[in-house]
């Protein structure tokens, strides 16, 4: 019975996210609305983590096989992907390096700032 309650809660929040997607004129996917709604409900304590943890962990455990059909479908468009693959690879490498550098600089800034506060 607990599993049915957890699934119903997750599906209900997903359904509300879909409604928000239809009602609001923003270019945001319905799943994102649902995720932010679930985050807000968990952060406010309206939904407890124990209310969705079991089913959530189950869904996470079996999420990777759900990508197999999409990955197999990409093989169909391999020629188109090869045409732009090098560009995407360069963009991914450069953007990853930028994220690394910015993350490191922010971490250094936060660490030095917290050190200054400790010494004061």
């Amino acid at each position: 019975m607990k599993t049915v309650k957890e699934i119903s809660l997750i599906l209900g929040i997903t359904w509300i996210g879909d409604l928000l997607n239809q009602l609001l004129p923003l270019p945001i996917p319905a799943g994102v609305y649902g995720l932010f709604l679930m985050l807000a409900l968990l952060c406010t304590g309206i939904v407890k983590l124990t209310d969705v943890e079991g089913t959530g962990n189950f869904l996470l455990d079996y999420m990777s096989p759900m990508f197999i059909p999409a990955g197999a479908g990409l093989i169909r468009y391999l020629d188109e992907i090869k045409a732009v693959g090098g560009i995407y690879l360069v963009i991914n490498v450069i953007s990853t390096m930028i994220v690394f550098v910015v993350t490191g600089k922010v971490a250094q800034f936060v660490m030095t700032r917290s050190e200054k506060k400790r010494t004061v």
Side-chain angles (χ1 to χ4, degrees):
M1 192 64 172
K2 184 176 191 271
T3 305
V4 172
K5 178 186 168 196
E6 290 179 3
I7 291 172
S8 299
L9 187 60
I10 292 171
L11 288 177
I13 291 170
T14 304
W15 180 71
I16 293 170
D18 191 36
L19 283 176
L20 288 172
N21 184 37
Q22 293 175 7
L23 294 174
L24 299 174
L26 300 172
I28 299 173
V32 175
Y33 282 119
L35 287 172
F36 278 116
L37 182 59
M38 179 65 86
L39 177 65
L41 293 173
L42 286 169
C43 287
T44 58
I46 295 171
V47 173
K48 304 283 187 254
L49 181 60
T50 55
D51 294 341
V52 292
E53 189 171 26
T55 301
N57 285 335
F58 173 80
L59 291 171
L60 285 173
D61 289 342
Y62 290 98
M63 183 171 54
S64 55
M66 302 302 168
F67 289 100
I68 292 172
L74 288 176
I75 294 172
R76 187 174 174 190
Y77 300 102
L78 202 55
D79 293 333
E80 288 88 356
I81 293 172
K82 284 180 182 177
V84 294
I87 296 168
Y88 285 142
L89 181 64
V90 170
I91 291 171
N92 279 326
V93 169
I94 290 172
S95 63
T96 300
M97 296 297 184
I98 291 170
V99 169
F100 283 166
V101 169
V102 170
T103 302
K105 293 296 182 183
V106 169
Q108 284 178 341
F109 173 76
V110 169
M111 290 172 63
T112 56
R113 188 169 180 197
S114 65
E115 288 292 324
K116 288 179 183 178
K117 282 186 178 182
R118 287 184 192 166
T119 57
V120 172

